[in-house]
Short mmCIF file of all heavy atoms in Angstrom, two decimals:
data_model
loop_
_atom_site.label_atom_id
_atom_site.label_comp_id
_atom_site.label_asym_id
_atom_site.label_seq_id
_atom_site.Cartn_x
_atom_site.Cartn_y
_atom_site.Cartn_z
N SER A 25 -9.64 48.28 -192.02
CA SER A 25 -10.51 47.19 -192.40
C SER A 25 -10.83 46.36 -191.11
O SER A 25 -10.17 46.55 -190.08
CB SER A 25 -9.77 46.28 -193.39
OG SER A 25 -8.69 45.66 -192.83
N PHE A 27 -10.14 43.40 -190.48
CA PHE A 27 -8.99 42.59 -190.05
C PHE A 27 -8.06 43.41 -189.12
O PHE A 27 -7.63 42.95 -188.13
CB PHE A 27 -8.26 42.16 -191.30
CG PHE A 27 -6.96 41.33 -190.95
CD1 PHE A 27 -7.11 40.01 -190.47
CD2 PHE A 27 -5.75 41.84 -191.02
CE1 PHE A 27 -5.95 39.29 -190.13
CE2 PHE A 27 -4.64 41.18 -190.70
CZ PHE A 27 -4.74 39.90 -190.28
N TRP A 28 -7.87 44.71 -189.58
CA TRP A 28 -7.00 45.59 -188.69
C TRP A 28 -7.64 45.84 -187.31
O TRP A 28 -7.02 45.82 -186.31
CB TRP A 28 -6.67 46.85 -189.40
CG TRP A 28 -5.48 46.70 -190.23
CD1 TRP A 28 -5.44 46.06 -191.54
CD2 TRP A 28 -4.11 46.98 -189.96
NE1 TRP A 28 -4.14 46.11 -191.99
CE2 TRP A 28 -3.25 46.64 -191.04
CE3 TRP A 28 -3.54 47.59 -188.79
CZ2 TRP A 28 -1.95 46.84 -191.04
CZ3 TRP A 28 -2.16 47.81 -188.84
CH2 TRP A 28 -1.38 47.42 -189.93
N PHE A 30 -10.02 44.08 -185.66
CA PHE A 30 -10.28 42.93 -184.83
C PHE A 30 -8.99 42.21 -184.47
O PHE A 30 -8.57 42.01 -183.28
CB PHE A 30 -11.27 41.95 -185.43
CG PHE A 30 -11.58 40.85 -184.55
CD1 PHE A 30 -12.59 40.98 -183.61
CD2 PHE A 30 -11.01 39.58 -184.67
CE1 PHE A 30 -13.01 39.89 -182.83
CE2 PHE A 30 -11.37 38.50 -183.87
CZ PHE A 30 -12.38 38.68 -182.96
N GLN A 31 -8.19 41.93 -185.49
CA GLN A 31 -7.05 41.09 -185.26
C GLN A 31 -5.80 41.92 -184.88
O GLN A 31 -5.26 41.63 -183.79
CB GLN A 31 -6.72 40.39 -186.63
CG GLN A 31 -5.83 39.26 -186.49
CD GLN A 31 -6.43 38.14 -185.70
OE1 GLN A 31 -7.49 37.73 -186.00
NE2 GLN A 31 -5.76 37.67 -184.63
N TRP A 35 -5.80 42.53 -180.85
CA TRP A 35 -4.80 41.71 -180.19
C TRP A 35 -3.77 42.58 -179.51
O TRP A 35 -3.23 42.28 -178.45
CB TRP A 35 -4.17 40.81 -181.27
CG TRP A 35 -3.40 39.67 -180.69
CD1 TRP A 35 -3.36 39.16 -179.43
CD2 TRP A 35 -2.43 38.79 -181.39
NE1 TRP A 35 -2.57 38.16 -179.29
CE2 TRP A 35 -1.94 37.87 -180.53
CE3 TRP A 35 -1.97 38.83 -182.72
CZ2 TRP A 35 -1.02 36.94 -180.87
CZ3 TRP A 35 -1.03 37.90 -183.11
CH2 TRP A 35 -0.54 37.01 -182.19
N ARG A 134 -3.22 21.03 -168.47
CA ARG A 134 -3.10 20.09 -169.59
C ARG A 134 -3.55 18.69 -169.13
O ARG A 134 -3.97 17.92 -169.99
CB ARG A 134 -1.68 20.07 -170.15
CG ARG A 134 -1.69 19.55 -171.58
CD ARG A 134 -0.41 19.81 -172.30
NE ARG A 134 0.65 18.93 -171.91
CZ ARG A 134 1.76 18.76 -172.56
NH1 ARG A 134 1.95 19.40 -173.61
NH2 ARG A 134 2.70 17.91 -172.15
N GLN A 135 -3.39 18.44 -167.87
CA GLN A 135 -3.67 17.08 -167.37
C GLN A 135 -4.89 16.93 -166.63
O GLN A 135 -5.34 15.87 -166.32
CB GLN A 135 -2.47 16.50 -166.65
CG GLN A 135 -1.34 16.09 -167.61
CD GLN A 135 -0.09 15.87 -166.97
OE1 GLN A 135 -0.04 15.43 -165.87
NE2 GLN A 135 1.02 16.08 -167.65
N TYR A 137 -8.63 16.92 -166.33
CA TYR A 137 -9.81 16.92 -167.24
C TYR A 137 -11.14 17.36 -166.58
O TYR A 137 -12.09 17.73 -167.23
CB TYR A 137 -9.96 15.47 -167.81
CG TYR A 137 -9.04 15.40 -169.02
CD1 TYR A 137 -7.63 15.01 -168.79
CD2 TYR A 137 -9.44 15.51 -170.31
CE1 TYR A 137 -6.85 14.90 -169.82
CE2 TYR A 137 -8.60 15.42 -171.42
CZ TYR A 137 -7.27 15.06 -171.22
OH TYR A 137 -6.43 14.92 -172.26
N TYR A 143 -6.14 18.69 -172.39
CA TYR A 143 -5.42 19.11 -173.58
C TYR A 143 -6.33 19.89 -174.60
O TYR A 143 -5.87 20.83 -175.17
CB TYR A 143 -4.88 17.86 -174.38
CG TYR A 143 -3.97 18.05 -175.39
CD1 TYR A 143 -2.63 18.26 -175.23
CD2 TYR A 143 -4.41 18.14 -176.74
CE1 TYR A 143 -1.75 18.51 -176.22
CE2 TYR A 143 -3.52 18.38 -177.80
CZ TYR A 143 -2.20 18.53 -177.51
OH TYR A 143 -1.37 18.75 -178.64
N ASN A 147 -13.74 25.35 -176.28
CA ASN A 147 -13.99 26.07 -177.53
C ASN A 147 -15.35 26.80 -177.44
O ASN A 147 -16.15 26.51 -176.54
CB ASN A 147 -13.83 25.23 -178.69
CG ASN A 147 -14.80 24.07 -178.70
OD1 ASN A 147 -15.46 23.82 -177.71
ND2 ASN A 147 -14.86 23.32 -179.79
N ARG A 160 -18.28 40.41 -180.41
CA ARG A 160 -17.19 39.81 -181.15
C ARG A 160 -17.16 40.28 -182.56
O ARG A 160 -16.30 39.98 -183.36
CB ARG A 160 -17.35 38.26 -181.09
CG ARG A 160 -16.02 37.64 -180.99
CD ARG A 160 -16.10 36.18 -180.68
NE ARG A 160 -14.85 35.57 -181.16
CZ ARG A 160 -14.75 34.91 -182.28
NH1 ARG A 160 -15.82 34.66 -182.97
NH2 ARG A 160 -13.61 34.38 -182.60
N ASN A 235 -10.43 34.83 -179.32
CA ASN A 235 -10.10 33.53 -180.00
C ASN A 235 -11.37 32.60 -179.91
O ASN A 235 -11.32 31.56 -180.53
CB ASN A 235 -8.96 32.85 -179.32
CG ASN A 235 -7.70 33.61 -179.48
OD1 ASN A 235 -7.55 34.27 -180.53
ND2 ASN A 235 -6.77 33.58 -178.55
N GLN A 237 -11.86 30.64 -177.74
CA GLN A 237 -11.44 29.37 -177.09
C GLN A 237 -10.18 29.59 -176.22
O GLN A 237 -9.51 30.55 -176.37
CB GLN A 237 -11.15 28.37 -178.19
CG GLN A 237 -9.96 28.69 -179.09
CD GLN A 237 -8.78 27.90 -178.72
OE1 GLN A 237 -8.83 26.84 -178.30
NE2 GLN A 237 -7.59 28.50 -178.92
N GLY A 241 -2.17 25.58 -174.48
CA GLY A 241 -1.27 26.23 -175.31
C GLY A 241 -1.31 27.74 -175.19
O GLY A 241 -0.24 28.39 -175.33
N THR A 242 -2.43 28.25 -174.87
CA THR A 242 -2.62 29.70 -174.70
C THR A 242 -1.78 30.20 -173.56
O THR A 242 -1.30 31.32 -173.61
CB THR A 242 -4.12 30.01 -174.39
OG1 THR A 242 -4.88 29.21 -175.27
CG2 THR A 242 -4.41 31.47 -174.56
N SER A 247 4.23 31.53 -174.23
CA SER A 247 3.36 32.72 -174.20
C SER A 247 3.79 33.58 -173.01
O SER A 247 3.74 34.77 -173.02
CB SER A 247 1.90 32.25 -173.90
OG SER A 247 1.61 31.23 -174.84
N VAL A 278 2.12 38.55 -187.47
CA VAL A 278 1.14 38.43 -188.50
C VAL A 278 1.76 38.55 -189.88
O VAL A 278 1.46 37.81 -190.83
CB VAL A 278 -0.04 39.42 -188.38
CG1 VAL A 278 -0.97 39.40 -189.53
CG2 VAL A 278 -0.83 39.20 -187.08
N THR A 281 5.74 36.35 -192.44
CA THR A 281 5.75 35.50 -193.68
C THR A 281 5.73 36.30 -194.98
O THR A 281 6.29 36.00 -195.93
CB THR A 281 4.65 34.42 -193.69
OG1 THR A 281 3.44 35.11 -193.43
CG2 THR A 281 4.88 33.29 -192.75
N ASP A 282 4.92 37.31 -194.85
CA ASP A 282 4.71 38.18 -196.09
C ASP A 282 6.08 38.88 -196.41
O ASP A 282 6.43 38.99 -197.56
CB ASP A 282 3.68 39.25 -195.95
CG ASP A 282 2.32 38.60 -195.73
OD1 ASP A 282 2.10 37.46 -196.18
OD2 ASP A 282 1.44 39.19 -195.10
N ASP A 292 8.79 29.08 -194.31
CA ASP A 292 8.98 28.36 -193.08
C ASP A 292 10.13 28.93 -192.24
O ASP A 292 10.40 28.40 -191.07
CB ASP A 292 9.15 26.83 -193.26
CG ASP A 292 10.14 26.55 -194.39
OD1 ASP A 292 10.66 27.51 -194.93
OD2 ASP A 292 10.42 25.37 -194.60
N PHE A 294 9.87 31.91 -190.94
CA PHE A 294 9.28 33.15 -190.50
C PHE A 294 9.79 33.57 -189.09
O PHE A 294 9.76 34.72 -188.78
CB PHE A 294 7.75 33.09 -190.49
CG PHE A 294 7.16 32.16 -189.46
CD1 PHE A 294 6.48 32.68 -188.37
CD2 PHE A 294 7.29 30.81 -189.66
CE1 PHE A 294 5.93 31.81 -187.44
CE2 PHE A 294 6.67 29.97 -188.67
CZ PHE A 294 6.06 30.48 -187.59
N LYS A 295 10.22 32.64 -188.25
CA LYS A 295 10.59 33.02 -186.90
C LYS A 295 11.96 33.84 -187.00
O LYS A 295 12.16 34.51 -186.01
CB LYS A 295 10.90 31.74 -186.07
CG LYS A 295 9.56 31.18 -185.53
CD LYS A 295 9.21 31.73 -184.24
CE LYS A 295 7.73 31.65 -184.04
NZ LYS A 295 7.36 32.07 -182.68
N LEU B 14 -3.25 50.80 -193.97
CA LEU B 14 -4.50 50.29 -193.49
C LEU B 14 -5.39 49.93 -194.72
O LEU B 14 -6.23 49.05 -194.62
CB LEU B 14 -5.21 51.34 -192.61
CG LEU B 14 -4.47 51.58 -191.32
CD1 LEU B 14 -5.14 52.78 -190.59
CD2 LEU B 14 -4.60 50.36 -190.34
N PRO B 17 -5.40 46.01 -197.70
CA PRO B 17 -6.24 44.82 -198.07
C PRO B 17 -7.01 45.06 -199.35
O PRO B 17 -7.18 44.16 -200.15
CB PRO B 17 -7.14 44.61 -196.88
CG PRO B 17 -6.86 45.71 -195.88
CD PRO B 17 -5.54 46.31 -196.30
N LEU B 35 4.40 25.03 -188.96
CA LEU B 35 5.81 25.06 -189.32
C LEU B 35 6.73 25.34 -188.15
O LEU B 35 7.89 25.80 -188.37
CB LEU B 35 5.97 26.15 -190.45
CG LEU B 35 5.38 25.89 -191.73
CD1 LEU B 35 5.50 27.07 -192.72
CD2 LEU B 35 5.96 24.62 -192.40
N GLU B 36 6.11 25.18 -186.98
CA GLU B 36 6.92 25.40 -185.76
C GLU B 36 6.51 24.36 -184.71
O GLU B 36 5.34 23.96 -184.74
CB GLU B 36 6.55 26.80 -185.27
CG GLU B 36 7.43 27.30 -184.13
CD GLU B 36 6.82 28.57 -183.49
OE1 GLU B 36 5.98 29.22 -184.16
OE2 GLU B 36 7.16 28.84 -182.37
N GLN B 44 6.38 21.00 -193.27
CA GLN B 44 7.06 21.34 -194.48
C GLN B 44 6.72 20.35 -195.57
O GLN B 44 6.64 20.70 -196.72
CB GLN B 44 8.62 21.23 -194.21
CG GLN B 44 9.07 22.52 -193.39
CD GLN B 44 10.45 22.26 -192.79
OE1 GLN B 44 11.05 21.23 -192.91
NE2 GLN B 44 10.91 23.36 -192.17
N PRO B 72 1.77 30.07 -191.52
CA PRO B 72 2.37 29.12 -190.57
C PRO B 72 1.74 29.15 -189.21
O PRO B 72 1.36 30.28 -188.70
CB PRO B 72 3.87 29.57 -190.43
CG PRO B 72 3.80 31.05 -190.70
CD PRO B 72 2.58 31.30 -191.66
N LYS B 76 -0.97 25.58 -181.97
CA LYS B 76 -1.89 26.05 -180.97
C LYS B 76 -3.17 26.56 -181.69
O LYS B 76 -3.06 27.30 -182.63
CB LYS B 76 -1.28 27.23 -180.18
CG LYS B 76 -0.29 26.79 -179.11
CD LYS B 76 0.11 27.99 -178.16
CE LYS B 76 1.02 29.01 -178.84
NZ LYS B 76 1.61 29.89 -177.94
N PRO B 77 -4.29 26.14 -181.20
CA PRO B 77 -5.57 26.59 -181.91
C PRO B 77 -5.69 28.12 -181.98
O PRO B 77 -6.19 28.60 -182.96
CB PRO B 77 -6.65 25.98 -181.07
CG PRO B 77 -6.01 25.17 -179.95
CD PRO B 77 -4.62 25.16 -180.14
N ASP B 78 -5.24 28.89 -180.96
CA ASP B 78 -5.32 30.31 -181.03
C ASP B 78 -4.65 30.84 -182.25
O ASP B 78 -5.15 31.58 -183.06
CB ASP B 78 -4.50 30.95 -179.87
CG ASP B 78 -5.12 30.62 -178.48
OD1 ASP B 78 -5.98 29.79 -178.50
OD2 ASP B 78 -4.71 31.26 -177.55
N ARG B 82 -6.14 32.69 -185.69
CA ARG B 82 -5.60 33.97 -186.13
C ARG B 82 -5.00 33.96 -187.53
O ARG B 82 -5.29 34.90 -188.32
CB ARG B 82 -4.34 34.30 -185.14
CG ARG B 82 -4.62 35.50 -184.33
CD ARG B 82 -3.51 35.64 -183.35
NE ARG B 82 -4.02 35.70 -181.96
CZ ARG B 82 -3.48 35.11 -180.89
NH1 ARG B 82 -2.39 34.39 -181.05
NH2 ARG B 82 -4.00 35.22 -179.72
N ARG B 85 -7.74 33.72 -190.11
CA ARG B 85 -8.51 34.96 -190.27
C ARG B 85 -7.58 35.91 -191.18
O ARG B 85 -8.14 36.58 -191.95
CB ARG B 85 -8.64 35.61 -188.88
CG ARG B 85 -9.73 36.73 -188.97
CD ARG B 85 -10.05 37.27 -187.54
NE ARG B 85 -10.82 36.36 -186.78
CZ ARG B 85 -10.54 36.04 -185.57
NH1 ARG B 85 -9.44 36.40 -184.97
NH2 ARG B 85 -11.32 35.20 -184.84
N LYS B 86 -6.25 35.84 -190.96
CA LYS B 86 -5.45 36.67 -191.86
C LYS B 86 -5.51 36.21 -193.29
O LYS B 86 -5.71 36.97 -194.18
CB LYS B 86 -4.01 36.54 -191.37
CG LYS B 86 -3.02 37.18 -192.39
CD LYS B 86 -1.57 37.11 -191.95
CE LYS B 86 -0.66 37.73 -192.96
NZ LYS B 86 -0.27 36.80 -193.99
N GLU B 89 -9.15 37.49 -194.46
CA GLU B 89 -9.47 38.89 -194.44
C GLU B 89 -8.32 39.68 -195.03
O GLU B 89 -8.64 40.71 -195.67
CB GLU B 89 -9.73 39.40 -193.02
CG GLU B 89 -11.01 38.70 -192.49
CD GLU B 89 -11.24 39.15 -191.05
OE1 GLU B 89 -10.56 39.88 -190.41
OE2 GLU B 89 -12.31 38.63 -190.48
N GLN B 90 -7.15 39.30 -194.85
CA GLN B 90 -6.04 40.12 -195.34
C GLN B 90 -5.58 39.66 -196.66
O GLN B 90 -5.37 40.43 -197.63
CB GLN B 90 -4.85 40.10 -194.31
CG GLN B 90 -3.72 40.98 -194.60
CD GLN B 90 -4.04 42.48 -194.40
OE1 GLN B 90 -4.97 42.77 -193.75
NE2 GLN B 90 -3.24 43.34 -194.94
N ILE B 106 -10.51 21.29 -184.76
CA ILE B 106 -11.74 21.63 -184.00
C ILE B 106 -11.96 23.16 -184.04
O ILE B 106 -13.03 23.64 -184.34
CB ILE B 106 -11.72 21.06 -182.63
CG1 ILE B 106 -11.72 19.52 -182.64
CG2 ILE B 106 -12.94 21.53 -181.85
CD1 ILE B 106 -11.61 18.91 -181.35
N ARG B 109 -13.07 24.19 -187.46
CA ARG B 109 -14.50 23.86 -187.68
C ARG B 109 -15.38 25.06 -187.25
O ARG B 109 -16.24 25.49 -187.97
CB ARG B 109 -14.89 22.62 -186.90
CG ARG B 109 -16.37 22.33 -186.89
CD ARG B 109 -16.72 21.36 -185.75
NE ARG B 109 -16.52 22.00 -184.46
CZ ARG B 109 -16.62 21.38 -183.29
NH1 ARG B 109 -16.79 20.07 -183.26
NH2 ARG B 109 -16.44 21.99 -182.14
N ASP B 110 -15.05 25.52 -186.04
CA ASP B 110 -15.85 26.65 -185.47
C ASP B 110 -15.54 27.89 -186.26
O ASP B 110 -16.50 28.72 -186.49
CB ASP B 110 -15.51 26.88 -184.02
CG ASP B 110 -15.86 25.65 -183.14
OD1 ASP B 110 -16.69 24.96 -183.61
OD2 ASP B 110 -15.21 25.52 -182.06
N ASP B 172 -2.40 10.41 -173.10
CA ASP B 172 -3.50 10.95 -172.39
C ASP B 172 -4.04 12.30 -173.07
O ASP B 172 -3.96 13.34 -172.43
CB ASP B 172 -3.16 11.13 -170.94
CG ASP B 172 -4.37 11.29 -170.04
OD1 ASP B 172 -5.50 11.20 -170.53
OD2 ASP B 172 -4.13 11.54 -168.89
N TYR B 173 -4.40 12.29 -174.33
CA TYR B 173 -4.92 13.44 -174.91
C TYR B 173 -5.85 12.99 -176.07
O TYR B 173 -5.99 11.83 -176.44
CB TYR B 173 -3.88 14.47 -175.38
CG TYR B 173 -3.13 14.15 -176.63
CD1 TYR B 173 -3.19 14.97 -177.73
CD2 TYR B 173 -2.38 13.02 -176.71
CE1 TYR B 173 -2.57 14.68 -178.90
CE2 TYR B 173 -1.60 12.75 -177.85
CZ TYR B 173 -1.77 13.57 -179.00
OH TYR B 173 -1.06 13.37 -180.09
N TYR B 177 -6.99 9.11 -177.33
CA TYR B 177 -8.26 8.49 -177.12
C TYR B 177 -8.93 8.09 -178.39
O TYR B 177 -9.55 7.00 -178.56
CB TYR B 177 -9.26 9.49 -176.46
CG TYR B 177 -8.78 10.15 -175.21
CD1 TYR B 177 -9.13 11.47 -174.87
CD2 TYR B 177 -7.99 9.48 -174.28
CE1 TYR B 177 -8.74 12.06 -173.71
CE2 TYR B 177 -7.59 10.07 -173.10
CZ TYR B 177 -7.95 11.36 -172.86
OH TYR B 177 -7.50 11.98 -171.67
N PRO B 201 0.57 10.83 -169.70
CA PRO B 201 0.56 12.23 -170.13
C PRO B 201 1.58 12.43 -171.26
O PRO B 201 2.67 11.83 -171.25
CB PRO B 201 0.93 13.00 -168.89
CG PRO B 201 0.59 12.11 -167.80
CD PRO B 201 0.75 10.76 -168.26
N LEU B 202 1.27 13.31 -172.17
CA LEU B 202 2.07 13.65 -173.31
C LEU B 202 3.43 14.19 -172.79
O LEU B 202 3.49 15.02 -171.98
CB LEU B 202 1.41 14.68 -174.15
CG LEU B 202 1.59 14.64 -175.70
CD1 LEU B 202 1.19 13.33 -176.20
CD2 LEU B 202 0.79 15.82 -176.21
N ARG B 409 -11.14 8.72 -171.89
CA ARG B 409 -10.45 7.58 -171.26
C ARG B 409 -11.33 6.32 -171.15
O ARG B 409 -10.85 5.26 -171.24
CB ARG B 409 -10.06 7.98 -169.83
CG ARG B 409 -8.94 9.01 -169.86
CD ARG B 409 -8.54 9.35 -168.44
NE ARG B 409 -7.74 10.50 -168.38
CZ ARG B 409 -7.24 11.03 -167.23
NH1 ARG B 409 -7.48 10.47 -166.11
NH2 ARG B 409 -6.42 12.09 -167.32
#
Side-chain angles (χ1 to χ4, degrees):
Chain A
S25 67
F27 179 74
W28 273 81
F30 187 80
Q31 197 65 52
W35 196 17
R134 203 165 78 164
Q135 283 167 30
Y137 278 81
Y143 190 84
N147 58 352
R160 218 168 157 259
N235 295 328
Q237 66 102 31
T242 316
S247 315
V278 173
T281 45
D282 298 336
D292 48 358
F294 70 108
K295 282 272 153 174
Chain B
L14 293 171
L35 290 175
E36 189 189 340
Q44 285 165 357
K76 281 192 287 193
D78 293 14
R82 242 173 236 142
R85 197 175 285 129
K86 172 177 178 273
E89 294 177 3
Q90 185 73 14
I106 296 174
R109 171 198 68 190
D110 298 335
D172 196 2
Y173 78 115
Y177 306 146
L202 213 57
R409 291 181 190 183

